[in-house]
Amino acid sequence: MTIADLRPDGAVLVDLGPVAQLRAGRLLLRLPQLVIGLYLFGASLAMMVRAGVGTAPWDVLHLGLIRHLPLSLGQVVIALSFVVLLAWIPLRERPGIGTIANALLVGLSADATLLLLDAPEAMAARVALMVGGVVLCGFASALYIGAQFGRGPRDGLMTGLSRRTGWSLRAVRTALELGVVLVGILLGGVAGLGTIVYALGIGPLTQALLPWCLVRLDVED
């Protein structure tokens, strides 16, 4: 996240350490935006799970893991987030406040939403719920990224591998997501229409919405 996404007011997406993130100001706007974005991100994942027509690639792996572990979906999301963070160490990625918040809040939100949300019976309703989940995920991603508190664990893995291997972000993301889908399927997770819609739609949605959610920092690097 070192390259700028510019808005008319000059807001730029930057890469700051935890202390610099706090010193950058506008915390009364940025902190609530971070928390809301992460909560909505977890809720969007739960919507896709309840739709039952395919989930985001990493959630194929999460759902495969819960078939073998005495953990809820959210607990697996949290546990795997911290496992992924261990891979940041050799990659020399720098976690931020949002990195740790992401690791904890997304899983908690997903479990809370699953408790409240029932799976629809009609296929049309299930597809609509899945599409709504993808759109909400794009908006939630723009919110928490736009708050400028750092990358999530899985995004940091992607950027770190890209920097160390010289591969493009797109190539690394594709390889990672194909890998987690295949492992998830082997563990009993299920990919489907929602997995394809998510893979094709989440990038363009987040890119389109990010300029509207990006917070201008008082100190930009």
Side-chain angles (χ1 to χ4, degrees):
M1 288 203 273
T2 57
I3 305 300
D5 274 276
L6 299 178
R7 300 191 317 179
D9 66 359
V12 178
L13 186 63
V14 294
D15 188 4
L16 301 174
V19 175
Q21 289 169 0
L22 292 174
R23 290 177 174 173
R26 308 195 71 181
L27 296 181
L28 291 179
L29 170 61
R30 293 167 58 217
L31 285 171
Q33 181 172 317
L34 173 68
V35 172
I36 292 170
L38 293 175
Y39 176 83
L40 293 178
F41 192 95
S44 72
L45 301 185
M47 288 170 64
M48 294 189 69
V49 170
R50 282 288 183 253
V53 290
T55 62
W58 279 94
D59 289 319
V60 177
L61 175 58
H62 298 149
L63 292 172
L65 286 170
I66 65 174
R67 295 175 66 91
H68 304 277
L69 299 171
L71 299 173
S72 68
L73 174 63
Q75 289 168 341
V76 166
V77 170
I78 293 170
L80 192 56
S81 293
F82 283 100
V83 171
V84 170
L85 281 175
L86 293 177
W88 282 36
I89 298 173
L91 295 174
R92 297 183 180 178
E93 284 292 289
R94 179 173 56 175
I97 294 167
T99 308
I100 305 303
N102 184 302
L104 294 171
L105 294 183
V106 170
L108 294 174
S109 171
D111 273 353
T113 305
L114 287 172
L115 289 174
L116 299 173
L117 186 64
D118 292 327
E121 295 184 4
M123 178 57 71
R126 292 165 61 188
V127 171
L129 184 61
M130 176 271 292
V131 172
V134 173
V135 173
L136 181 60
C137 190
F139 176 57
S141 298
L143 277 178
Y144 86 76
I145 293 171
Q148 307 243 43
F149 281 110
R151 296 177 287 276
R154 293 155 184 79
D155 290 332
L157 178 63
M158 175 184 66
T159 57
L161 286 171
S162 175
R163 189 180 65 253
R164 293 297 295 271
T165 64
W167 292 11
S168 68
L169 287 174
R170 179 179 298 179
V172 171
R173 177 170 181 166
T174 299
L176 278 175
E177 293 189 346
L178 284 174
V180 297
V181 166
L182 289 174
V183 173
I185 290 173
L186 290 174
L187 291 172
V190 179
L193 174 64
T195 311
I196 298 172
V197 172
Y198 182 95
L200 294 176
I202 194 62
L205 277 170
T206 304
Q207 182 174 346
L209 293 170
L210 182 58
W212 301 95
C213 300
L214 192 61
V215 179
R216 179 183 174 90
L217 301 183
D218 294 338
V219 178
E220 293 180 349
D221 188 6

